[in-house]
Every structure is written in C-alpha cells, then in structure tokens.
Amino acid sequence: MPRMQAPESGITVRMYRQGHGDCFLLATRKTDGSAFYMLIDCGLWTNSEIKPEQTIDKVIADIAKATGNRLDVVLVTHEHMDHVNGFAKKDPETGKPCFDAIEIGELWLAWTEDGEDDLANAVRAHFHDTLLALMGADERLDRAGLAAQSPQRAMLRDLLSFETGEDAADELRKRLEKIRKRHPALSAREQAELAIEGITNKRAIKYLRDRIEGEPLFLRPDREPYMLKGVDGVRVYALGPPRDVELLLSLEPRGEEAFELLTDSLTLSLLTATMVGEPEDAPRSFDPRFGMSRRDVEKGHDPFMKTFFTSRYGAKGKRGFAQAWRQIDNEWLAGSESLALRLNNEVNNTSLVIAIELPLTGKVLLFTGDAQRGNWISWAPLNWTVGGRTVTARELLGRTVFYKAGHHGSHNATLDGSVDADYPNISWLAQGAFKNDFVAVIPANPGWAKQEKNWEHPRRSIETRLKQKARGRVFRSDVDHVERPEDVSAAEWEKFSRVERDLFFEYTIPDALA
C-alpha cells in the first residue's frame, strides 16, 4: 500500500472499515510541504469484523505504511473498547505491541484524563467505583449459581467486557483471582483496583502515554483553539466534553431532540455502593433494623431462631430445598444491568469532540466520538476569540461539511430538532453556502450489531436524515460503494470524488477558494 499523500489544500480523511469501531487517519500539508498525520481512535468490538480478512492488525499495518511510521498526533476520544483496544494489540509472533513500529509525536486526550484536574479526578472516581460495583455484582451472581449465559448475567457481562476491553469478563475475574492469591493482605477493594489497572482499555491509554515525551495535551472547551505543529492556519476547537457534571450525566435525548421517542424502562437500584468483597459485606436491601444477617442466624445462640429461619429460608448455600423460593439474597442484583448500561453511556458522554477548521474556506470537520445528549447541549453557548473576532460553536457547526456520526449512528448520539431550536442538533450542520458540501460517515456493522447485540446501529431514521442532508453522500463501513440516489444527477454525483477499498474509504475536503 503506497504512502497516504496530503492534499494540495484541505484534509484527506481515511476511514478504516475494520468493523464495529472507530479508526480515522487524517492527512494535511505542513508549511514545508510534508504531510501531517493525525490518528483519531483505533478500536473494534471483539469479533465484529465486517470481513474476516479486515482485521485490526491489517489496519495498524496500513497506518504504518501510509504514514511512513510517523504519526504527528494520536487523539483518543474516550476509553471504550471500540475506540482504543487497537493500541493494546500485540503482534502474535513477537509479542510486542503492533504500534511499536510507529513513532508518535503528541497524544491528545479529553480533560477528563487529566490527573491534575480536580473535576476530572472526581469523574474518574465515579466511573471507577461503578466498575468495582459491577465486578462485585457479577461475582455475587456467580456465587449464587447463575451461569454466565443466563439472562440475569449475560448483558451485565457483555457490558462489563466492553468497559474493560477484555474478550470476556472471565479475563477480569481471572486477573482478580491471581491478585487475591498474590496479595492476600490487601482489602477486597484494593485487590479489585489492582485488577482494573491491567484491563485492556486502560493499558491502551497507558501505552500511548508511555510512548510520548512529556505529558499529553488535555483538550478543554473553555480554552482557545489548538494548532497543529508545522501546519499553517488549521485550528482545532474542543467542543466537549462539558465541564458540567449535570450535563455529563445527561444521556438520553428528550422530546423532539430524539429521532424516535423511546420509553426508558431502565432504573438504577441499590448498586450505587461498591460491592467487591465477601457476600456479608454487600449493602442490604432494607435498613438493618428490619433484618437479620445469615451470620447472626447461623452463629446465634437462640436455637428457636436458628431453626425457624433455616427451615423457612435455608442455610448458606442450601438453595435446593422446597422453601428456596423465599430467598431474595440476590434479587436486588438484577439492577446491575441498568447500572452497567448507564456506565457505558456516561463514558460515551465524556467523549472528546473536536471541530477542525480549515483556514481559507472556513470548512469544518466534526468528530464527535460517542457524545450523547449532555455533550451536544453543552456546545450551544461556547465561543472563542480568534484574530480579534468571536467564533461561536453554532457558527462552526453551520460550516461543518464532514460529520462523523456519533456512536455508530445510535439514537442517543445525534440529536434531531428544528433549525431554530436553541440546542445543537443535526439541523445546525452545514448551513448556507456550506449546505451542498455536506458528507457524513457512519462506522458501523449493522448486521453484527443486530444479530449479536440486538442494536439498531445505525438507527434507520438517523441514516435516512443524513442521506437526505448529504444528498446520498454517506459512507457506512459495511457498504462497499456509496450509491447515487435517484434524485441526484450523474453530473452532480461525479463531483463526489472518493476512494473505496476493502480496508478503508478515503475522502478529501478541499480548502481552495473559488
């Protein structure tokens, strides 16, 4: 594969088609005529390849060849398997990380990864405690005799694997068991924290941080635009994540913001406490005044109470007798699925969202990661002073001609609404003179998503709306060729110049003035 060339003007975007995951390679021209390369994410849902031969290994090998083994910037939007696990990929023959062959100049992360930021530390602590709770929930359901494939555990384990980046939740359990044997003096929580440090998603971020000199650049929406080293005029605006906890935790579209009104039947339950540890340490469903622990019953000195409770509820581990239906020891753990899904959405909402502005035409490329409602809403009041004038987020969105659909086109990552709505939505994109240049990309494998996860990725109404807005110019990972709509003339379609290959799509956004 030949080296990826930077265009005479503008930016060329290579969208890899590995499967259900994000990986974008961007090329633009430096002032000395050489190419500047930026990589945005590199990940894949396990076993979601669109074609068996299109592996993440081949994607990484192509990145190396396309860039001459040099990336000026690696940008990670958020810490989810389908965005970062490629960075933790190792060569099966050498055992060395596949990215070792590629030099990395700078690492750009969201402010939520900044260890010197008090708000970032609080957000990460919240996610960390929730993950500990989910680990504990899975362990307790296992102890209760529920198989990994049971409905009560299947979704929890699936989402737990997604958060950790492991091929299965069992890998995390195995690591935890080893740590318990090696460090028996540590508390259950400390042992679990050690296990979490070694999970794939966190190893991927640590690997990248170790590969660069100095500290990463932590992007914030309340800071001036960022520049690309050696590139003249291209500005990068950080739109999200918001520095507002209420907006960070606002996840689902409301009312007319949604493309389809959904009924959210998920509720959070008693899993707000960390549950890693022995069963006796678990939080109780009711106030202790209204209950008695198994330990109190089985080790108590009152023979009547012991006989009464064991005959009606059973002793520890005795679930096979006739009255076992009375036991509700683990019923409250059913809420773990809801908590796992909420954690998944909350991490999505911490996505680093960037708007890349070209210097001559003002065209904008918008990469949203998996940003959800609160992230989108937070963009409305943003503004920056550039060259003595004010640039607003609404202006940037109005000049957006390239849109990376968030969260594989899911319902909760692209907001609907009217042009006059006071919150950012799809109608704000590509306005006025930029209307006819709009193009969208959807990194998704719908067949896999529907069959394996029962997800509608992308949501049909969102894809339809994007196609209408882009006049058919929408790339989707699993579709080999973008087809011309009937209402678009052959002459107009001919201007839509792109490269379509098995491993990637490539599209250039020019920046030349007419």
Side-chain angles (χ1 to χ4, degrees):
M1 192 69 64
R3 187 157 177 169
M4 181 181 180
Q5 299 300 312
E8 289 296 326
S9 70
I11 293 179
T12 295
V13 180
R14 180 173 290 187
M15 169 187 173
Y16 286 99
R17 305 176 57 202
Q18 71 275 18
H20 212 75
D22 279 22
C23 188
F24 294 88
L25 179 62
L26 281 60
T28 191
R29 193 170 292 273
K30 295 181 180 179
T31 53
D32 63 7
S34 64
F36 180 101
Y37 296 110
M38 172 187 282
L39 183 67
I40 301 178
D41 291 339
C42 186
L44 174 73
W45 257 97
T46 302
N47 299 322
S48 73
E49 288 85 357
I50 292 169
K51 298 178 182 179
E53 66 275 12
Q54 292 171 202
T55 62
I56 197 72
D57 308 65
K58 285 194 174 182
V59 168
I60 298 171
D62 185 79
I63 292 170
K65 292 179 181 178
T67 62
N69 296 305
R70 162 74 186 185
L71 287 166
D72 294 274
V73 169
V74 170
L75 183 151
V76 177
T77 59
H78 64 296
E79 196 178 288
H80 265 166
M81 172 166 59
D82 55 339
H83 292 257
V84 301
N85 65 0
F87 297 115
K89 182 71 176 176
K90 292 186 177 181
D91 187 305
E93 295 183 1
T94 66
K96 296 181 179 180
C98 293
F99 268 89
D100 271 5
I102 305 174
E103 183 184 353
I104 299 174
E106 294 183 276
L107 174 62
W108 290 13
L109 302 172
W111 63 265
T112 47
E113 297 291 333
D114 186 357
E116 302 297 320
D117 189 305
D118 290 340
L119 180 57
N121 290 335
V123 170
R124 289 200 310 278
H126 166 70
F127 293 160
H128 185 264
D129 287 348
T130 306
L131 188 54
L132 288 174
L134 295 175
M135 289 170 61
D138 182 59
E139 188 168 28
R140 279 186 169 73
L141 290 171
D142 183 51
R143 288 173 175 171
L146 293 174
Q149 295 77 26
S150 64
Q152 293 93 330
R153 289 183 70 194
M155 180 180 175
L156 167 61
R157 290 169 63 79
D158 194 32
L159 290 169
L160 185 57
S161 295
F162 182 54
E163 291 298 332
T164 62
E166 306 301 324
D167 289 343
D170 287 335
E171 296 300 319
L172 186 57
R173 287 283 303 281
K174 290 176 182 177
R175 185 178 294 111
L176 180 57
E177 290 171 4
K178 288 181 180 179
I179 289 173
R180 283 172 175 165
K181 291 179 181 179
R182 293 173 183 170
H183 306 282
L186 295 178
S187 68
R189 181 186 179 88
E190 289 171 331
Q191 292 169 341
E193 288 175 340
L194 278 178
I196 288 176
E197 287 180 7
I199 62 179
T200 302
N201 291 357
K202 294 189 180 299
R203 281 194 291 108
I205 300 296
K206 184 178 185 303
Y207 169 78
L208 291 172
R209 295 185 72 154
D210 290 343
R211 286 292 313 280
I212 64 169
E213 293 184 9
E215 284 294 302
L217 183 64
F218 300 105
L219 277 66
R220 292 174 44 157
D222 57 352
R223 297 282 169 83
E224 62 184 18
Y226 301 84
M227 308 301 289
L228 306 180
K229 288 184 179 179
V231 177
D232 188 23
V234 175
R235 294 186 176 89
V236 179
Y237 297 79
L239 302 186
R243 293 185 60 80
D244 181 316
V245 173
E246 182 177 349
L247 289 174
L248 274 174
L249 302 183
S250 180
L251 308 173
E252 292 293 323
R254 302 174 184 176
E256 293 182 355
E257 297 168 2
F259 273 86
E260 296 176 18
L261 188 61
L262 302 177
T263 300
D264 184 10
S265 60
L266 297 175
T267 57
L268 295 182
S269 67
L270 304 173
L271 285 164
T272 53
T274 300
M275 300 187 304
V276 174
E278 293 303 309
E280 289 79 5
D281 298 331
R284 299 182 180 182
S285 304
F286 306 101
D287 190 282
R289 293 175 297 162
F290 306 114
M292 183 178 295
S293 71
R294 285 191 182 278
R295 182 183 295 169
D296 293 338
V297 171
E298 294 171 2
K299 296 184 178 181
H301 300 292
D302 187 332
F304 171 76
M305 293 295 288
K306 187 171 184 178
T307 302
F308 176 85
F309 279 103
T310 55
S311 65
R312 286 165 173 76
Y313 297 97
K316 182 178 179 181
K318 302 288 186 180
R319 294 187 59 87
F321 70 107
Q323 301 298 316
W325 62 272
R326 296 178 183 272
Q327 297 180 13
I328 61 169
D329 304 54
N330 296 293
E331 296 304 313
W332 64 288
L333 293 173
S336 59
E337 293 180 8
S338 298
L339 186 62
L341 187 58
R342 180 160 186 98
L343 174 62
N344 173 248
N345 288 335
E346 287 177 352
V347 174
N348 282 342
N349 217 25
T350 63
S351 289
L352 172 57
V353 178
I354 61 166
I356 303 175
E357 180 189 45
L358 301 182
L360 299 180
T361 60
K363 292 177 182 177
V364 170
L365 293 76
L366 180 64
F367 290 87
T368 60
D370 287 346
Q372 294 187 198
R373 180 188 184 273
N375 205 319
W376 276 72
I377 296 297
S378 72
W379 309 340
L382 295 178
N383 64 84
W384 301 264
T385 300
V386 178
R389 74 180 189 90
T390 300
V391 177
T392 66
R394 180 154 193 168
E395 179 186 346
L396 290 174
L397 295 178
R399 292 192 266 116
T400 294
V401 297
F402 182 94
Y403 170 54
K404 199 291 293 190
H407 201 210
H408 319 291
S410 172
H411 79 280
N412 55 15
T414 299
L415 297 191
D416 195 9
S418 67
V419 176
D420 296 328
D422 58 2
Y423 53 82
N425 62 80
I426 195 172
S427 295
W428 281 28
L429 307 181
Q431 293 295 308
F434 301 89
K435 180 179 179 180
N436 294 328
D437 294 324
F438 185 69
V439 170
V441 296
I442 308 175
N445 186 353
W448 171 87
K450 187 65 178 177
Q451 180 177 346
E452 299 295 329
K453 309 295 181 183
N454 197 30
W455 296 336
E456 188 184 354
H457 286 180
R459 181 149 296 232
R460 183 175 300 176
S461 54
I462 291 178
E463 184 176 13
T464 299
R465 180 69 177 277
L466 287 174
K467 286 183 175 179
Q468 291 172 345
K469 190 175 185 68
R471 294 189 57 75
R473 299 183 299 252
V474 176
F475 296 95
R476 204 176 80 184
S477 303
D478 65 313
V479 179
D480 290 338
H481 304 286
V482 185
E483 299 294 336
R484 175 171 66 92
E486 294 181 357
D487 61 343
V488 175
S489 68
E492 178 183 346
W493 195 251
E494 189 175 349
K495 297 177 183 178
F496 176 41
S497 178
R498 72 255 181 220
V499 175
E500 298 172 330
R501 293 184 178 165
D502 286 343
L503 192 62
F504 60 80
F505 293 134
E506 199 169 277
Y507 180 74
T508 297
I509 300 90
D511 191 38
L513 294 171

